[in-house]
Amino acid sequence: GLDDAQHPSFSRVFELVNKTNQFNTNGGRWSHESMLAFFEAGGAFATFTVRDRFADYGLVGVVIFRGAHIVQLVMSCRVIGLDVEVAALERVVREMRARTPGEPLAASIVETSSNTPCRDVFLRAGFTPLAGGAFELPLSREPVPAPHVGVVTS
């Protein structure tokens, strides 16, 4: 995970988070200072890259989380439809559960004029919808895998 501004991928993550509109679960933008404050408060960014038999897309996604809460998920529109976001969420959920045992996980969607492509991402990953755009993954439920997507941890 990325949890400080010295990480080699920081500038690409900063750009991706602040330029992505379609697959951005809350439309939020981050200043350099707000990212540093988030890291200082125990937050982290889990990044993911995508490669298939046709192309190496590079770093295309970020799951922003703190404790048991997914704050934001952002992904490049170049890989929409490949289910890599579900595979990434499964991996991040497992990491979050290891860090916060005994807590259900929370996430939310804030609808914007352009983020229709990501509004069902937490449902597809196995979360239960709650009121007001909130979602929960209870302790009794495992995250949904994307069996056709291989995940390699680096």
Side-chain angles (χ1 to χ4, degrees):
L2 186 150
D3 59 6
D4 70 62
Q6 305 312 310
H7 192 282
S9 298
F10 180 82
S11 62
R12 169 65 180 139
V13 168
F14 187 80
E15 173 189 53
L16 185 65
V17 168
N18 286 306
K19 289 189 174 182
T20 301
N21 295 312
Q22 289 185 348
F23 209 100
N24 183 335
T25 58
N26 66 16
R29 303 295 189 222
W30 294 72
S31 68
H32 185 84
E33 294 75 24
S34 63
M35 281 188 177
L36 296 178
F38 185 75
F39 295 147
E40 192 68 31
F45 288 35
T47 61
F48 55 99
T49 60
V50 172
R51 184 180 65 224
D52 64 18
R53 65 179 180 232
F54 305 110
D56 185 343
Y57 299 95
L59 195 158
V60 295
V62 184
V63 181
I64 301 171
F65 67 97
R66 179 172 53 218
H69 182 235
I70 296 172
V71 174
Q72 186 176 14
L73 187 152
V74 174
M75 187 179 74
S76 169
C77 60
R78 295 180 298 148
V79 294
I80 289 175
L82 302 179
D83 281 339
V84 295
E85 64 277 14
V86 173
L89 275 172
E90 180 191 18
R91 180 57 57 99
V92 172
V93 160
R94 294 190 187 289
E95 180 181 333
M96 291 173 70
R97 282 189 165 162
R99 293 178 179 207
T100 60
E103 289 187 51
L105 301 185
S108 60
I109 299 283
V110 175
E111 292 186 8
T112 69
S113 60
S114 52
N115 74 354
T116 305
C118 71
R119 291 184 190 160
D120 67 345
V121 67
F122 296 119
L123 286 174
R124 291 186 294 118
F127 285 68
T128 300
L130 305 173
F135 294 85
E136 179 183 79
L137 186 64
L139 293 169
S140 61
R141 187 174 309 137
E142 291 299 311
V144 173
H148 62 282
V149 178
V151 177
V152 179
T153 305
S154 58

PDB file of all heavy atoms in Angstrom, residues 51-71:
ATOM      1  N   ARG A  51      -2.623  -5.779 -16.327  1.00  0.00           N
ATOM      2  CA  ARG A  51      -1.973  -6.257 -17.548  1.00  0.00           C
ATOM      3  C   ARG A  51      -2.798  -7.430 -18.050  1.00  0.00           C
ATOM      4  O   ARG A  51      -3.209  -8.287 -17.278  1.00  0.00           O
ATOM      5  CB  ARG A  51      -0.539  -6.699 -17.232  1.00  0.00           C
ATOM      6  CG  ARG A  51       0.230  -7.115 -18.466  1.00  0.00           C
ATOM      7  CD  ARG A  51       1.640  -7.540 -18.143  1.00  0.00           C
ATOM      8  NE  ARG A  51       1.605  -8.759 -17.328  1.00  0.00           N
ATOM      9  CZ  ARG A  51       2.351  -8.967 -16.253  1.00  0.00           C
ATOM     10  NH1 ARG A  51       3.199  -8.074 -15.837  1.00  0.00           N
ATOM     11  NH2 ARG A  51       2.253 -10.098 -15.588  1.00  0.00           N
ATOM     12  N   ASP A  52      -3.070  -7.456 -19.339  1.00  0.00           N
ATOM     13  CA  ASP A  52      -3.717  -8.623 -19.923  1.00  0.00           C
ATOM     14  C   ASP A  52      -2.896  -9.055 -21.131  1.00  0.00           C
ATOM     15  O   ASP A  52      -1.801  -8.540 -21.356  1.00  0.00           O
ATOM     16  CB  ASP A  52      -5.195  -8.353 -20.259  1.00  0.00           C
ATOM     17  CG  ASP A  52      -5.415  -7.281 -21.320  1.00  0.00           C
ATOM     18  OD1 ASP A  52      -4.465  -6.948 -22.072  1.00  0.00           O
ATOM     19  OD2 ASP A  52      -6.549  -6.778 -21.425  1.00  0.00           O
ATOM     20  N   ARG A  53      -3.423  -9.977 -21.908  1.00  0.00           N
ATOM     21  CA  ARG A  53      -2.618 -10.491 -23.030  1.00  0.00           C
ATOM     22  C   ARG A  53      -2.456  -9.474 -24.150  1.00  0.00           C
ATOM     23  O   ARG A  53      -1.650  -9.666 -25.051  1.00  0.00           O
ATOM     24  CB  ARG A  53      -3.200 -11.800 -23.544  1.00  0.00           C
ATOM     25  CG  ARG A  53      -4.559 -11.669 -24.150  1.00  0.00           C
ATOM     26  CD  ARG A  53      -5.062 -13.016 -24.660  1.00  0.00           C
ATOM     27  NE  ARG A  53      -6.378 -12.832 -25.243  1.00  0.00           N
ATOM     28  CZ  ARG A  53      -7.427 -13.545 -24.929  1.00  0.00           C
ATOM     29  NH1 ARG A  53      -7.325 -14.502 -24.052  1.00  0.00           N
ATOM     30  NH2 ARG A  53      -8.591 -13.309 -25.503  1.00  0.00           N
ATOM     31  N   PHE A  54      -3.231  -8.393 -24.097  1.00  0.00           N
ATOM     32  CA  PHE A  54      -3.172  -7.381 -25.141  1.00  0.00           C
ATOM     33  C   PHE A  54      -2.349  -6.158 -24.772  1.00  0.00           C
ATOM     34  O   PHE A  54      -1.758  -5.526 -25.639  1.00  0.00           O
ATOM     35  CB  PHE A  54      -4.588  -6.920 -25.519  1.00  0.00           C
ATOM     36  CG  PHE A  54      -5.488  -8.045 -25.922  1.00  0.00           C
ATOM     37  CD1 PHE A  54      -6.534  -8.423 -25.110  1.00  0.00           C
ATOM     38  CD2 PHE A  54      -5.276  -8.738 -27.110  1.00  0.00           C
ATOM     39  CE1 PHE A  54      -7.370  -9.473 -25.475  1.00  0.00           C
ATOM     40  CE2 PHE A  54      -6.104  -9.786 -27.482  1.00  0.00           C
ATOM     41  CZ  PHE A  54      -7.151 -10.162 -26.658  1.00  0.00           C
ATOM     42  N   ALA A  55      -2.351  -5.791 -23.484  1.00  0.00           N
ATOM     43  CA  ALA A  55      -1.697  -4.530 -23.099  1.00  0.00           C
ATOM     44  C   ALA A  55      -1.315  -4.524 -21.628  1.00  0.00           C
ATOM     45  O   ALA A  55      -1.895  -5.249 -20.816  1.00  0.00           O
ATOM     46  CB  ALA A  55      -2.650  -3.358 -23.373  1.00  0.00           C
ATOM     47  N   ASP A  56      -0.339  -3.687 -21.314  1.00  0.00           N
ATOM     48  CA  ASP A  56       0.015  -3.391 -19.932  1.00  0.00           C
ATOM     49  C   ASP A  56      -0.523  -1.987 -19.675  1.00  0.00           C
ATOM     50  O   ASP A  56      -0.025  -1.015 -20.220  1.00  0.00           O
ATOM     51  CB  ASP A  56       1.533  -3.436 -19.738  1.00  0.00           C
ATOM     52  CG  ASP A  56       1.941  -3.243 -18.292  1.00  0.00           C
ATOM     53  OD1 ASP A  56       1.117  -2.766 -17.471  1.00  0.00           O
ATOM     54  OD2 ASP A  56       3.098  -3.558 -17.973  1.00  0.00           O
ATOM     55  N   TYR A  57      -1.583  -1.902 -18.875  1.00  0.00           N
ATOM     56  CA  TYR A  57      -2.259  -0.630 -18.640  1.00  0.00           C
ATOM     57  C   TYR A  57      -1.583   0.196 -17.543  1.00  0.00           C
ATOM     58  O   TYR A  57      -1.904   1.362 -17.364  1.00  0.00           O
ATOM     59  CB  TYR A  57      -3.727  -0.873 -18.252  1.00  0.00           C
ATOM     60  CG  TYR A  57      -4.519  -1.576 -19.329  1.00  0.00           C
ATOM     61  CD1 TYR A  57      -4.684  -2.950 -19.303  1.00  0.00           C
ATOM     62  CD2 TYR A  57      -5.103  -0.863 -20.364  1.00  0.00           C
ATOM     63  CE1 TYR A  57      -5.411  -3.607 -20.287  1.00  0.00           C
ATOM     64  CE2 TYR A  57      -5.838  -1.504 -21.346  1.00  0.00           C
ATOM     65  CZ  TYR A  57      -5.984  -2.883 -21.308  1.00  0.00           C
ATOM     66  OH  TYR A  57      -6.705  -3.517 -22.282  1.00  0.00           O
ATOM     67  N   GLY A  58      -0.693  -0.420 -16.794  1.00  0.00           N
ATOM     68  CA  GLY A  58      -0.005   0.289 -15.709  1.00  0.00           C
ATOM     69  C   GLY A  58      -0.893   0.477 -14.495  1.00  0.00           C
ATOM     70  O   GLY A  58      -1.876  -0.240 -14.298  1.00  0.00           O
ATOM     71  N   LEU A  59      -0.553   1.464 -13.687  1.00  0.00           N
ATOM     72  CA  LEU A  59      -1.308   1.753 -12.470  1.00  0.00           C
ATOM     73  C   LEU A  59      -2.619   2.414 -12.879  1.00  0.00           C
ATOM     74  O   LEU A  59      -2.625   3.506 -13.429  1.00  0.00           O
ATOM     75  CB  LEU A  59      -0.503   2.671 -11.550  1.00  0.00           C
ATOM     76  CG  LEU A  59      -0.987   2.767 -10.110  1.00  0.00           C
ATOM     77  CD1 LEU A  59       0.145   3.235  -9.207  1.00  0.00           C
ATOM     78  CD2 LEU A  59      -2.190   3.654  -9.933  1.00  0.00           C
ATOM     79  N   VAL A  60      -3.732   1.712 -12.610  1.00  0.00           N
ATOM     80  CA  VAL A  60      -5.033   2.196 -13.069  1.00  0.00           C
ATOM     81  C   VAL A  60      -6.062   2.373 -11.965  1.00  0.00           C
ATOM     82  O   VAL A  60      -7.167   2.848 -12.213  1.00  0.00           O
ATOM     83  CB  VAL A  60      -5.639   1.269 -14.143  1.00  0.00           C
ATOM     84  CG1 VAL A  60      -4.799   1.272 -15.415  1.00  0.00           C
ATOM     85  CG2 VAL A  60      -5.827  -0.140 -13.599  1.00  0.00           C
ATOM     86  N   GLY A  61      -5.725   1.974 -10.735  1.00  0.00           N
ATOM     87  CA  GLY A  61      -6.739   2.055  -9.697  1.00  0.00           C
ATOM     88  C   GLY A  61      -6.181   2.289  -8.313  1.00  0.00           C
ATOM     89  O   GLY A  61      -5.029   1.947  -8.022  1.00  0.00           O
ATOM     90  N   VAL A  62      -7.039   2.875  -7.472  1.00  0.00           N
ATOM     91  CA  VAL A  62      -6.672   3.190  -6.092  1.00  0.00           C
ATOM     92  C   VAL A  62      -7.889   2.939  -5.203  1.00  0.00           C
ATOM     93  O   VAL A  62      -8.984   3.414  -5.499  1.00  0.00           O
ATOM     94  CB  VAL A  62      -6.267   4.676  -5.939  1.00  0.00           C
ATOM     95  CG1 VAL A  62      -5.801   4.966  -4.519  1.00  0.00           C
ATOM     96  CG2 VAL A  62      -5.206   5.070  -6.942  1.00  0.00           C
ATOM     97  N   VAL A  63      -7.666   2.186  -4.129  1.00  0.00           N
ATOM     98  CA  VAL A  63      -8.675   2.023  -3.089  1.00  0.00           C
ATOM     99  C   VAL A  63      -8.148   2.785  -1.879  1.00  0.00           C
ATOM    100  O   VAL A  63      -7.090   2.456  -1.343  1.00  0.00           O
ATOM    101  CB  VAL A  63      -8.925   0.547  -2.726  1.00  0.00           C
ATOM    102  CG1 VAL A  63     -10.006   0.440  -1.647  1.00  0.00           C
ATOM    103  CG2 VAL A  63      -9.307  -0.264  -3.957  1.00  0.00           C
ATOM    104  N   ILE A  64      -8.863   3.818  -1.472  1.00  0.00           N
ATOM    105  CA  ILE A  64      -8.442   4.682  -0.375  1.00  0.00           C
ATOM    106  C   ILE A  64      -9.214   4.244   0.870  1.00  0.00           C
ATOM    107  O   ILE A  64     -10.437   4.198   0.848  1.00  0.00           O
ATOM    108  CB  ILE A  64      -8.726   6.157  -0.712  1.00  0.00           C
ATOM    109  CG1 ILE A  64      -7.985   6.543  -1.998  1.00  0.00           C
ATOM    110  CG2 ILE A  64      -8.355   7.064   0.451  1.00  0.00           C
ATOM    111  CD1 ILE A  64      -8.359   7.910  -2.560  1.00  0.00           C
ATOM    112  N   PHE A  65      -8.484   3.886   1.931  1.00  0.00           N
ATOM    113  CA  PHE A  65      -9.157   3.369   3.118  1.00  0.00           C
ATOM    114  C   PHE A  65      -8.454   3.795   4.397  1.00  0.00           C
ATOM    115  O   PHE A  65      -7.274   4.135   4.402  1.00  0.00           O
ATOM    116  CB  PHE A  65      -9.275   1.843   3.052  1.00  0.00           C
ATOM    117  CG  PHE A  65      -7.957   1.116   3.125  1.00  0.00           C
ATOM    118  CD1 PHE A  65      -7.501   0.599   4.329  1.00  0.00           C
ATOM    119  CD2 PHE A  65      -7.179   0.932   1.993  1.00  0.00           C
ATOM    120  CE1 PHE A  65      -6.285  -0.078   4.403  1.00  0.00           C
ATOM    121  CE2 PHE A  65      -5.962   0.260   2.054  1.00  0.00           C
ATOM    122  CZ  PHE A  65      -5.516  -0.247   3.262  1.00  0.00           C
ATOM    123  N   ARG A  66      -9.235   3.765   5.470  1.00  0.00           N
ATOM    124  CA  ARG A  66      -8.696   3.991   6.809  1.00  0.00           C
ATOM    125  C   ARG A  66      -9.498   3.121   7.760  1.00  0.00           C
ATOM    126  O   ARG A  66     -10.737   3.169   7.738  1.00  0.00           O
ATOM    127  CB  ARG A  66      -8.790   5.452   7.217  1.00  0.00           C
ATOM    128  CG  ARG A  66      -8.251   5.692   8.641  1.00  0.00           C
ATOM    129  CD  ARG A  66      -8.133   7.149   9.029  1.00  0.00           C
ATOM    130  NE  ARG A  66      -9.373   7.851   8.811  1.00  0.00           N
ATOM    131  CZ  ARG A  66      -9.450   9.103   8.348  1.00  0.00           C
ATOM    132  NH1 ARG A  66      -8.369   9.785   8.062  1.00  0.00           N
ATOM    133  NH2 ARG A  66     -10.618   9.672   8.170  1.00  0.00           N
ATOM    134  N   GLY A  67      -8.827   2.341   8.553  1.00  0.00           N
ATOM    135  CA  GLY A  67      -9.502   1.438   9.467  1.00  0.00           C
ATOM    136  C   GLY A  67     -10.387   0.481   8.702  1.00  0.00           C
ATOM    137  O   GLY A  67      -9.943  -0.197   7.780  1.00  0.00           O
ATOM    138  N   ALA A  68     -11.663   0.426   9.050  1.00  0.00           N
ATOM    139  CA  ALA A  68     -12.625  -0.472   8.405  1.00  0.00           C
ATOM    140  C   ALA A  68     -13.495   0.252   7.384  1.00  0.00           C
ATOM    141  O   ALA A  68     -14.557  -0.220   7.020  1.00  0.00           O
ATOM    142  CB  ALA A  68     -13.500  -1.125   9.483  1.00  0.00           C
ATOM    143  N   HIS A  69     -13.032   1.417   6.913  1.00  0.00           N
ATOM    144  CA  HIS A  69     -13.847   2.223   6.001  1.00  0.00           C
ATOM    145  C   HIS A  69     -13.124   2.462   4.677  1.00  0.00           C
ATOM    146  O   HIS A  69     -12.010   2.984   4.657  1.00  0.00           O
ATOM    147  CB  HIS A  69     -14.174   3.570   6.655  1.00  0.00           C
ATOM    148  CG  HIS A  69     -15.049   4.437   5.810  1.00  0.00           C
ATOM    149  ND1 HIS A  69     -14.698   5.704   5.453  1.00  0.00           N
ATOM    150  CD2 HIS A  69     -16.254   4.201   5.223  1.00  0.00           C
ATOM    151  CE1 HIS A  69     -15.652   6.227   4.684  1.00  0.00           C
ATOM    152  NE2 HIS A  69     -16.592   5.332   4.540  1.00  0.00           N
ATOM    153  N   ILE A  70     -13.787   2.084   3.579  1.00  0.00           N
ATOM    154  CA  ILE A  70     -13.287   2.433   2.249  1.00  0.00           C
ATOM    155  C   ILE A  70     -13.795   3.835   1.964  1.00  0.00           C
ATOM    156  O   ILE A  70     -14.995   4.062   1.840  1.00  0.00           O
ATOM    157  CB  ILE A  70     -13.770   1.440   1.175  1.00  0.00           C
ATOM    158  CG1 ILE A  70     -13.196   0.053   1.467  1.00  0.00           C
ATOM    159  CG2 ILE A  70     -13.381   1.923  -0.222  1.00  0.00           C
ATOM    160  CD1 ILE A  70     -13.757  -1.047   0.577  1.00  0.00           C
ATOM    161  N   VAL A  71     -12.885   4.760   1.891  1.00  0.00           N
ATOM    162  CA  VAL A  71     -13.218   6.170   1.719  1.00  0.00           C
ATOM    163  C   VAL A  71     -13.555   6.483   0.271  1.00  0.00           C
ATOM    164  O   VAL A  71     -14.480   7.248  -0.018  1.00  0.00           O
ATOM    165  CB  VAL A  71     -12.033   7.046   2.212  1.00  0.00           C
ATOM    166  CG1 VAL A  71     -12.263   8.514   1.935  1.00  0.00           C
ATOM    167  CG2 VAL A  71     -11.777   6.793   3.699  1.00  0.00           C
TER     168      VAL A  71
END
